[in-house]
Amino acid sequence: MKLDPITLEILSRKMVAITDEVYFTVQRTARSSFVNEVADFAVAFLDVKGDVFAYPPSASFNFLMDTNFYSTIEAVPDLVPGDIIITNDPYTSNGLSTHLPDVHLIQPYFDGDRLIGYGWAFIHSLDFGGAVSGSVSAINTEIFQEGLRIPPMKLMKAGKFNEELLTLIRLNTRVPDVTIADFKAMMGALEIGNRRLQEIVARYGTDTMVQATQDIQDYTADRAREVFRRIPDGSYDFWDYLDDDVVSGIPLRVRLRLEVNDGQVLLDLTGTDPLSDSSFNLASLGRRMYWLSFRLTGFLTTFDPLIPRNAGFYRHIEVKNQPGCVFDARGHTAVGMRHSAPFRLFDCVSGAILKANPEMMTAAMGGSMATFQFAETDAHGQLKVEVVEPLRSGMGAIRGRDGVDARDNSVNNMRNRPAELVERELGLRVLNYDINPDSGGPGQWRGGVGQALTVELVGENGGEILISGLERSRMAPWGFEGGRPGALVAAIINEGRADERPVTKGLPLNLARGDTVTLRMPGGGGFGDPLMRDEQAVLHDAEQGFISVAGAARDYGVVIIDGAVDAEATATLRARPHLAPALFAFGAQRDAWEAVFDDATMLEINRRLYLLPQPRRYGVRRAFFDAVVPGISHDTMTPLDRLIGDVAAARLRLRHALDTILSEAGLPGRAVA
């Protein structure tokens, strides 16, 4: 029988408060910078079925509630008090972990002999083995290259460490002491959660507490459906792109059909590109999971800020995954960069909801979440692996409000590392840590600007950098209703010197003392015609450094002289003829790409590719795009509009390639105009 509303409210708030205590215990006792400074970790309480019923409001991630915990629990039978399960393997955990640095612990909670739930915690480890320091490399082709894999098993057995497993872990991480210390921080925090839940059981009884774990999820599910009912019923298509997958320069397309019916939501990913030969794949294993649903998590918490956070969020969401696509990694496929394609799905959901109701969503986020890691050998010969900064882009604008600057909390609220700590702990000097001017998409409401960082290597031995997540280097963060795209990401070694060169995302690079690394993050897309932006708002942006004086004239038609708006010159500039605003502004490179590879063409190409056995698809796809855009499989830097050149000639090559390369692969099909 369901609990009365007052008792349910009291218990819900008590359990959520405990999760916050557990959360801060992990953060304050862990040793790695990923946890105690950046906050790349999470905790939760799970019910007896493995669903989240309480989640900490202070967590940097809001979307990890949509996770398959039960497969991991089921894989380790005969749990007793004092046991703790550990895993980091996406495949044997059936998607609990999504890449190997994410290490998960689950502790069963008992009242006597009766199971009453579980405590869960995860951290992003600084290093868990593999080919590169930090364990994440874009060019890995199979998961065996990515680090130590731990299937669901017991780290603690009835209160005693599994010493053989700990020995194995120590031998397979570059920072063993920090790694084990982080495990102990999670274990201590989970035990605190256990004791606090026992206090609730002692006061309210086991049956009442267990019933509350179910009732609160039912309550959340009902509230979530009411929010989804605000989206008009219908079917809405949208697609977006990764710039490339590093091992080729071919854009990787994510396609979504959003279907809404009386608060029931379907995310149909049919038509998304096949698996990559690099690590830009996600092991969802055919399930709905947080990397697929996380845009809707933010949607729910925006329109119902007080909704209790638990697995009930997702009861009315269904995902239809294309078998063999980048969201459906199987077997031994590499998955280290598993977050990149979901970021484009995130923007696809935004675009689809904008089509449904322009009042309910922002233009594209900056869409780049660059994690800058650094490895060096100190004076004592000891290897150190640390995160420098989790760089962030700006948020997209929404009707009536500018995007948030230098922060994208629609994805997560991971924290920055203070420059003083970076300089104290690493052989780096921070030369610049600021906002990136003119990076926000111009609009009546401006897209938020991204961050900017420049560091210099000052250690005697130099070091190795690895920056993952450098997306939006070609496909700009799009604007809406006349708003323009945000700026592209830039990552440069030794900017302004003779040996200046770009950084390739997700690849390690050895640098010497005196070398510099500059990162300029993209801004969010603008919303509305920038010529409609209030002149004083443009002046304020220029005074604050969000835009330059030149940008004010170029993008907004506002002339600023000696710190004031020149009204006459501004009126003249704004009166000049200009193109009618587009509903979506995608930028020159995407426009050129889609002039050749439009939606119908891409659906036909993928329809044929998916008829091939999975091992053949990538090679045939690569040969096909090389025939249409010569050299693209080896070029990740040249802008797409320059690579394509003559669109009409490229369309002729496209028809020829369809008739030759795909047909010779045994894939005849419909002609493309």
Side-chain angles (χ1 to χ4, degrees), residues 221-274:
D222 291 342
R223 287 178 64 163
R225 188 171 186 184
E226 286 305 308
V227 174
F228 289 142
R229 283 187 170 121
R230 299 188 186 191
I231 306 174
D233 287 355
S235 179
Y236 311 97
D237 292 348
F238 204 87
W239 53 92
D240 211 331
Y241 301 82
L242 291 179
D243 304 302
D244 57 73
D245 63 0
V246 175
V247 294
S248 86
I250 304 166
L252 195 155
R253 191 174 87 137
V254 173
R255 194 184 195 283
L256 169 71
R257 172 163 290 173
L258 174 71
E259 296 184 4
V260 184
N261 181 16
D262 189 29
Q264 300 284 349
V265 177
L266 170 66
L267 303 175
D268 185 349
L269 307 179
T270 303
T272 293
D273 282 354

Side-chain angles (χ1 to χ4, degrees), residues 3 7 11 114 200 204-213 215:
L3 301 179
T7 301
L11 287 176
R114 181 179 175 181
I200 291 178
Y204 291 93
T206 303
D207 290 342
T208 299
M209 197 220 94
V210 171
Q211 186 63 46
T213 68
D215 290 356

Side-chain angles (χ1 to χ4, degrees), residues 30 37 40 75 198 243 255 295 320 391 431 453 622 643:
E37 291 175 13
D40 193 350
Q198 296 299 332
D243 304 302
R255 194 184 195 283
R295 185 50 169 145
K320 182 179 179 182
L391 273 294
L431 303 181
L453 174 73
R622 186 166 180 157
L643 270 177

